[in-house]
Amino acid sequence: SCLSFKSFFVSLLINTFGLNKCTNRDLKQKILEILDVQDLNELKEMGDGDFKWRVKLLLDGFEFWHKALKEV
């Protein structure tokens, strides 16, 4: 179900980027800004279409920067 994917994705963000650590508050804020949400739990509560669009936006941005940095 999409709810379990939403929970998985939020957990993935938290664990991959260490978003629960005090030292990563700035990173967490930037990710929230990119996703246009106030907190990560808001992702779990939004409609499936909005959620999928925001995840795609984040992943496309990550892929772009990863490839761009590889070229430099």
Side-chain angles (χ1 to χ4, degrees), residues 18-50:
L19 299 183
N20 284 338
K21 297 179 182 176
C22 292
T23 56
N24 290 338
R25 285 185 181 159
D26 289 340
L27 176 60
K28 182 177 182 179
Q29 189 58 40
K30 288 176 184 173
I31 290 173
L32 292 175
E33 288 175 15
I34 291 168
L35 294 170
D36 194 26
V37 293
Q38 297 298 313
D39 62 50
L40 292 171
N41 287 324
E42 190 177 332
L43 283 174
K44 293 180 194 178
E45 298 170 8
M46 69 177 41
D48 293 348
D50 285 337

Side-chain angles (χ1 to χ4, degrees), residues 51-62:
F51 175 79
K52 289 176 185 176
W53 182 84
R54 291 167 199 236
V55 169
K56 184 174 177 357
L57 177 69
L58 181 70
L59 294 176
D60 284 348
F62 177 79

